[in-house]
Amino acid sequence: MVYSFIMAPRRKLSRASRAESSPRRRRILALLNWSTPELRRGILEYSRQAVWRLEEAFVVWWGTPPEAVAPSPDNPFDGVIAMLVNMPLALAAAMRRYPVPTVSLSLLSPPGARTVLVDNKAAGRMAAESLLGRGFRHLAFVGGSGHPECKQRLEGFLQAARKGGAAVIEDAFLSSQRHDALALGRRIAALPRPLGIMGFSDGTARMVVDACGLAGLAVPEEIAVIGMGNDPVICESSSVPLSSVCVDYHQYGYQAARLLDDLMCRRRVVKRPVLIEPSGVAERQSTDILAVPDVRVARALRHIWQDYTNPRLGVGDIAAAAGMSVSALNNAFKLHLGTPVGWQIRHKRFSHAMDLLAGSQYKVHEIAAACGYRDEHHLRSTLQAQTGLSPRAWRKKNRDDAGGD
């Protein structure tokens, strides 16, 4: 399916760019068999600035004739932006016969293309560091081992995991598993726990969550799962909402279009790939836990993290949620975390209050209510005891320190 539309300019080009521009609108082909709305929006934004005529071809079906989309004397284009998860040989051959400036958004590139890529190694490192920060010391990676982007994410994941002292489970079954959730669940159940898993993509990570459910494994109490791409539809529709490494897809598309403009205008460009750094980790329920070997302690921690803003929350409530007596739960917390249950509740409230004091304009009584304190006086006395400062003095000190960085 091929369709085209002409973009109206949103702002004027610089004098230098206008001088280099052709008197006619350049015809640009966005050749995609995978994309996101934000990625396409980034391409669109630059195309408006450059006053391009942008056409999109979605090469999803293997039966799509390459001559229907590839540049040719009968189908001329000035440039191509390609995101090809699969590269049909006929399409590659057609583009080789009629070369035009091309930017690829994947490692499977048309002949002679420059590339703009997600920094996959950085994404893998970021996922591993997130799991390590949660206390996980057994980590695994699930994904299609033959995919070039997958290999890079795995490499970054392994580097960070080993640097952090984690035991990494390298398993050929996990590397190749893509569709059989029941078999995957059985394999994960045989691994040491608590276990942190990165899925190659959000779709793979959601399959891991489903596999854990089939195997009777609790996410995140026993298995924490993190994906890649932060697709809100996939992440938030998962049976356990998925944490995921974020990609700035808008910037991804925008930088690809800018690089194509440089190529068409014969500006000097670097030959190495342009890398788009992941922008962080979107934390959701699938990793919202500290790794502890006792699943009852993990369940109690989850209850604290979910309900600490309730000022009536007490140790008895936490013990009931964990299915333990108060004394047994306190002993288990001291064994695995080094603190009693009450300390964890107070710590969670205090950490949240400090974040709000430093990063918001909320009044003290509003922060106290948002963090589970009985009243403003309770927060003030806690802050005074912990730091020796009033809320106003602590807020000023931390903002002054941040401004001096």
Side-chain angles (χ1 to χ4, degrees), residues 141-199:
F141 186 96
V142 175
S145 58
H147 199 290
E149 273 88 355
C150 180
K151 292 179 179 178
Q152 292 185 344
R153 288 172 201 172
L154 174 59
E155 183 179 345
F157 185 81
L158 292 175
Q159 286 175 352
R162 288 168 179 156
K163 184 178 179 181
V168 184
I169 298 157
E170 296 186 67
D171 188 299
F173 181 88
L174 297 180
S175 297
S176 61
Q177 189 60 27
R178 295 295 297 276
H179 303 296
D180 190 343
L182 191 61
L184 178 60
R186 287 195 295 265
R187 184 70 191 101
I188 293 173
L191 300 176
R193 285 170 264 163
L195 175 67
I197 295 178
M198 180 185 185

Side-chain angles (χ1 to χ4, degrees), residues 296-323:
R296 297 172 302 172
V297 173
R299 193 179 300 125
L301 274 173
R302 282 280 305 140
H303 194 78
I304 291 171
W305 291 13
Q306 289 179 334
D307 207 27
Y308 69 92
T309 58
N310 176 6
R312 294 185 177 86
L313 180 68
V315 177
D317 302 309
I318 307 301

Side-chain angles (χ1 to χ4, degrees), residues 22-42:
S22 170
R24 64 174 180 83
R25 286 185 176 179
R26 287 193 168 102
R27 188 169 180 243
I28 306 301
L29 173 65
L31 185 60
L32 313 169
N33 64 6
W34 183 90
S35 70
T36 71
E38 282 301 310
L39 186 146
R40 292 159 62 196
R41 198 170 288 122

Side-chain angles (χ1 to χ4, degrees), residues 211-226:
C212 289
L214 291 172
L217 300 171
V219 177
E221 290 87 348
E222 295 178 278
I223 312 292
V225 184
I226 188 169

